[in-house]
């Protein structure tokens, strides 16, 4: 169960150099095909933090096509994760897990924004068996594709994101729905992770989040077992207990998808998505890459949007796609 205290740094072994806390807030301007990330990774025992800001418009296959990227490493770790300022120009205020305010002013003047995130529901805790009925089965597999990132403390919450963006002299209004998260615990950056982070949002009426394991077999991306997920309907949160995803890709970026998910009451949701913006996000973590896309969905007569990110450890990719990869011709689904 998530409480207001979970916005702050968590109790930890002060000798564990790997202890990590992260926060991630996405935003989009669908009418202009713009998608952005606000990410902070803090290692309070080491006294350092990383911040990665990225804003891209449309389809960007190469890093130089992305409109703005500002990764900063070895920043001083803030004393509090509830309210802090970083030397890269990012300021965050989050009195509780349902409220996030972030401002950013790039030191070169290339990008600035003011964001306000307000949750639509109580945060979802995938580490709470009362909220996540798949937890015991998921944790028992020992699948190395999980990584450390979501194995300890973690919450997800959907919200309404409003504000303003100025990108290289052009100003935009932000008014969208998406999900943010906060993770904490020991973290070894071994690069074996392979998981999709999927978000579908139609405002307060319907929002969904899925975390699904990925395999790459002979160069083909396959979405496998659901790790956890939830659906929010007018503020009521129900766990997702089954999901299937298929997608078409170009240069590792998903360009269309098909999602079928079922909650614990047996209600099934089906969505077809088309990407309107995508890019590889290399700068949030040196040992990982996220192939992100902003997708447009239809639900009856409503139009919604949401991020789909295929997150890979670089070692996972190298084992399957590099010249020395030992699993380049892997056939069939991967074993846990």
């Amino acid at each position: 169960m998530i409480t207001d205290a979970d916005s702050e740094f968590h109790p930890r072994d002060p000798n564990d150099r790997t202890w990590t806390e992260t926060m991630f807030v996405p935003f989009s301007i669908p009418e202009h095909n713009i998608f952005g990330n606000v990410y902070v990774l803090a290692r309070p025992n080491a006294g350092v933090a990383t911040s990665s800001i990225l804003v891209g418009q449309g389809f960007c296959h190469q890093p130089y096509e992305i409109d703005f990227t500002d990764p900063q490493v070895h920043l001083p770790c803030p004393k509090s994760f509830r309210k802090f300022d970083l030397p890269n120009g990012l300021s965050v205020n989050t009195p509780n897990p349902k409220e996030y305010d972030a401002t950013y002013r790039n030191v070169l003047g290339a990008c600035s924004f003011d964001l306000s995130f307000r949750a639509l529901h109580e945060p979802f805790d995938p580490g709470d068996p009362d909220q996540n009925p798949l937890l015991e089965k998921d944790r028992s597999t020992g699948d190395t594709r999980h990584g450390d990132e979501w194995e300890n403390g973690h919450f997800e919450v959907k919200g309404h994101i409003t504000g303003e963006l100025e990108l290289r002299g052009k100003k935009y209004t932000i008014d969208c729905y998406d999900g943010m998260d906060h993770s904490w615990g020991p973290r070894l950056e071994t690069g074996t992770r392979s998981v999709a982070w999927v978000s579908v949002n139609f405002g307060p009426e319907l929002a969904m989040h899925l975390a699904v394991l990925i395999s790459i077999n002979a160069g083909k991306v396959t979405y496998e077992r659901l790790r956890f997920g939830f659906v929010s309907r007018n503020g009521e949160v129900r766990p997702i207990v089954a999901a299937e995803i298929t997608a078409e890709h170009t240069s590792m970026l998903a360009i269309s998808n098909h999602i079928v998910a079922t909650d614990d009451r047996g209600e099934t949701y089906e969505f077809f998505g088309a990407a309107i913006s995508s890019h590889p996000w290399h700068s949030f973590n040196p040992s990982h890459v996220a192939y992100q896309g902003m997708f447009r969905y239809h639900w009856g007569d409503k139009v919604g949007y949401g991020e789909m990110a295929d997150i890979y450890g670089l070692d996972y990719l190298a084992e399957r796609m590099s010249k020395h990869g030992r699993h380049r011709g892997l056939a069939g689904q991967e074993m846990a």
Side-chain angles (χ1 to χ4, degrees), residues 58-255:
F59 296 97
C60 305
H61 291 158
Q62 300 297 332
Y64 60 78
E65 297 176 294
I66 300 171
D67 295 271
F68 180 78
T69 307
D70 181 17
Q72 298 283 330
V73 300
H74 300 151
L75 299 170
C77 184
K79 290 182 172 56
S80 169
F81 218 38
R82 271 186 166 153
K83 188 173 184 179
F84 60 86
D85 303 309
L86 295 178
N88 68 330
L90 177 67
S91 297
V92 174
N93 182 27
T94 169
N96 60 70
K98 298 171 69 175
E99 299 179 45
Y100 277 79
D101 293 314
T103 64
Y104 173 73
R105 302 289 180 269
N106 174 242
V107 295
L108 300 176
C111 178
S112 64
F113 54 71
D114 295 276
L115 299 178
S116 173
F117 174 97
R118 295 296 181 266
L120 300 175
H121 57 84
E122 293 300 318
F124 175 78
D125 182 357
D128 183 343
D130 290 335
Q131 296 186 50
N132 176 17
L134 303 180
L135 178 63
E136 183 177 352
K137 181 179 179 180
D138 178 61
R139 293 274 172 93
S140 67
T141 65
D143 196 317
T144 59
R145 290 175 293 169
H146 288 191
D148 294 335
E149 287 78 0
W150 299 337
E151 296 304 279
N152 299 288
H154 183 72
F155 69 77
E156 304 274 354
V157 60
K158 299 287 191 170
H160 188 197
I161 306 164
T162 57
E164 295 182 344
L165 166 71
E166 183 170 340
L167 180 59
R168 302 196 183 277
K170 294 184 178 181
K171 295 184 178 181
Y172 301 92
T173 297
I174 300 168
D175 189 347
C176 66
Y177 293 88
D178 216 318
M180 64 79 54
D181 70 14
H182 179 178
S183 299
W184 60 92
R187 182 181 295 198
L188 292 173
E189 306 292 2
T190 55
T192 62
R193 199 173 187 215
S194 182
V195 63
W197 194 97
V198 183
S199 181
V200 179
N201 307 279
F202 292 92
E205 295 85 358
L206 173 64
M208 180 180 292
H209 171 76
L210 302 172
V212 178
L213 289 175
I214 310 172
S215 67
I216 298 180
N217 304 319
K220 179 177 175 57
V221 176
T222 302
Y223 300 88
E224 295 186 355
R225 175 174 54 84
L226 173 70
R227 292 205 60 196
F228 56 82
F230 69 89
V231 61
S232 172
R233 297 289 302 270
N234 296 306
E236 181 187 11
V237 176
R238 307 300 308 184
I240 297 294
V241 297
E244 294 182 3
I245 299 175
T246 58
E248 297 296 324
H249 298 78
T250 178
S251 300
M252 297 294 290
L253 295 165
I255 57 173

Side-chain angles (χ1 to χ4, degrees), residues 11-19 44-46 186:
R12 60 190 182 273
D13 177 357
N15 297 314
D16 183 356
R17 66 172 182 82
T18 72
W19 185 273
N45 290 344

